[in-house]
Each structure stands twice: as C-alpha cells, then as structure tokens.
Amino acid sequence: MKKVLLAASLAAVAITTPAAFDPAVAKQRTVIEQLPAEIVDKNYVGDVEVIVADTASKKMADLEIKAGAKRTEAGLAAFDPASTAPSRDQYATLPFAAMMPNVMRDVTRKWGLTPERGGKAVNLRITIENIKTANAGMALLLSSADELSGEVVVLDPASQQQIGSFYVQVLNNHGGLAGLAMRGGGIREKLAEEFALESSRILTGSTKKDWKKRLKATEQAGGEKAAAMPAGAGA
C-alpha cells in the first residue's frame, strides 16, 4: 500500500514540476531571401509596418483588450498614433502594431545598428502569423508555450523594393505551475523583444556569441559620448 501511495506522489510531482525549465527552448530564424552583402551589418531600422495575419488575429485581439485595460489602469489617455514616441514603461499599454516598431528599433540599436554608426536605412514589413500564450491547464499535464512567429521583409526606403526576407519563430515552452510562475508577466513584450533579437542577428549577420561584444561596444560608445559633453550640458 505504501509503495502505491509513494508512486502516486511521485507522479503528482512529475506533473507539476518541470524537470528542467528552459525559458527559450526554441528560437529559430530562417533566411528566405539573403540580404545584399553591402547591407548586412551596415544598416539601421527606419519605418516598421506590422501586419497581423488572419491566423493570429483572434489571439491578438484578446491581447489588445488586455493592453487597453492596462492603459486605463495606468491613467493614460487613449492611444493616439500621432503622439510622440512612448517611453519603454508604456509599451505594455500600446496596441501591438504601435509597440512592435519601438521594440525593433530599441533592440537593433543595442546591436549597434544606428544612424550614427553609418550604413543604409531599411524599412521592415513584419507579418505576424502566430501569437499565443501558454495555457495553464495544458502546462499542468504536459507543457504549453508562448509563441510569436512571422515573416520579416526588408525594404529599400527609396524604392520600397524588397531586398531581403526572413522568418522568425520564438517558442518558449513552460512545464507545470513552476514553469508558468518563472515566466512572469509582460509575455507579449518579452516575445516581441526576443523576436527583435533574432531579427537583429539576421540584420547584422551575427550569432549569439557577438551579443556581449556588441553590447559592450555600445555601452563604451555611450560612455565616451557622455564624457565628451561639456559640463552642465545635460542639466
């Protein structure tokens, strides 16, 4: 009888506790049309158009309602597309199509893709084909995942001609209640940032190993710029 009870207890633990929680078990980027060599790592993001495909529209509508509720709770006025660029702490209150371009520019700039560094401006057209958040009920039994996937088309701003394209899939698996708890909040924003990170690797022709080097270079450049400012200029 004791053996039966012990087996049942172990089974319950196996269901509710993930053996190994990996917050990003599957991030994939697939090049569809190679960027010209003279563009790779010599570009910066200008305009970003976001299209939500029919396959993602239902879930996206649910997330838009939640973002609107957060905006109301924060005491912010209704979103105005003509308003000035929002601060990062307001991203969670924005419609996805307004939030994603800001995230793309933020992340690519961290990778050193800035006008100051030189290179050619590129526009992006992102078509979101799937977005979903983990299901608590499924995570208890097996596992569930947060996902954001879609195609990124790179455009020449002058001609609006396509000069490259790639597909990004961010898939974050979560097993059990512990896995869901560890993922925290702001899921939509985290997915967008990881999507932008994978896009940056294509635009720079880089791998994950370059991240620390690039981040250090960006921080160093920022420090040198601040040191060069006249005393009291930032006051």
Side-chain angles (χ1 to χ4, degrees):
M1 182 65 178
K2 290 182 178 179
K3 290 183 179 179
V4 173
L5 291 173
L6 178 59
S9 299
L10 289 174
V13 171
I15 290 173
T16 58
T17 306
F21 173 70
D22 184 347
V25 297
K27 294 190 184 67
Q28 299 178 4
R29 54 198 184 279
T30 304
V31 174
I32 301 171
E33 180 185 346
Q34 197 79 38
L35 285 169
E38 65 271 18
I39 294 295
V40 177
D41 204 27
K42 301 179 184 70
N43 63 80
Y44 59 92
V45 175
D47 294 337
V48 180
E49 178 188 9
V50 178
I51 300 169
V52 179
D54 291 344
T55 50
S57 60
K58 186 177 185 302
K59 180 61 180 178
M60 187 67 79
D62 294 338
L63 293 174
E64 299 286 54
I65 291 172
K66 291 180 180 179
K70 289 180 181 179
R71 194 167 186 85
T72 300
E73 290 171 7
L76 298 171
F79 174 70
D80 179 3
S83 60
T84 56
S87 58
R88 284 183 60 86
D89 60 2
Q90 292 183 10
Y91 284 3
T93 72
L94 298 177
F96 187 87
M99 181 266 293
M100 189 68 183
N102 286 289
V103 173
M104 289 294 293
R105 282 188 283 267
D106 288 349
V107 175
T108 53
R109 284 168 182 164
K110 281 186 178 180
W111 275 73
L113 299 178
T114 63
E116 293 78 14
R117 183 169 174 262
K120 179 180 175 62
V122 295
N123 292 346
L124 304 179
R125 184 170 66 236
I126 304 172
T127 301
I128 300 300
E129 296 183 359
N130 195 25
I131 183 169
K132 68 176 183 177
T133 54
N135 180 286
M138 287 299 296
L140 281 174
L141 296 174
L142 297 169
S143 66
S144 191
D146 302 315
E147 179 181 356
L148 181 64
S149 56
E151 182 183 9
V152 181
V153 173
V154 185
L155 303 165
D156 181 294
S159 65
Q160 287 301 300
Q161 292 296 308
Q162 178 173 321
I163 57 175
S165 64
F166 52 92
Y167 194 89
V168 174
Q169 181 187 40
V170 176
L171 188 65
N172 292 346
N173 282 324
H174 309 282
L177 289 177
L180 288 176
M182 289 177 69
R183 99 197 220 266
I187 305 305
R188 186 189 68 150
E189 293 70 49
K190 289 178 182 176
L191 286 170
E193 188 162 346
E194 291 174 11
F195 189 103
L197 178 60
E198 297 305 310
S199 299
S200 297
R201 289 174 182 156
I202 294 287
L203 294 171
T204 59
S206 303
T207 65
K208 192 172 183 178
K209 293 180 181 179
D210 292 331
W211 170 245
K212 289 184 179 180
K213 182 172 69 174
R214 285 178 175 272
L215 188 59
K216 184 177 180 180
T218 301
E219 290 174 346
Q220 183 177 354
E224 292 173 353
K225 184 177 179 180
M229 288 179 63

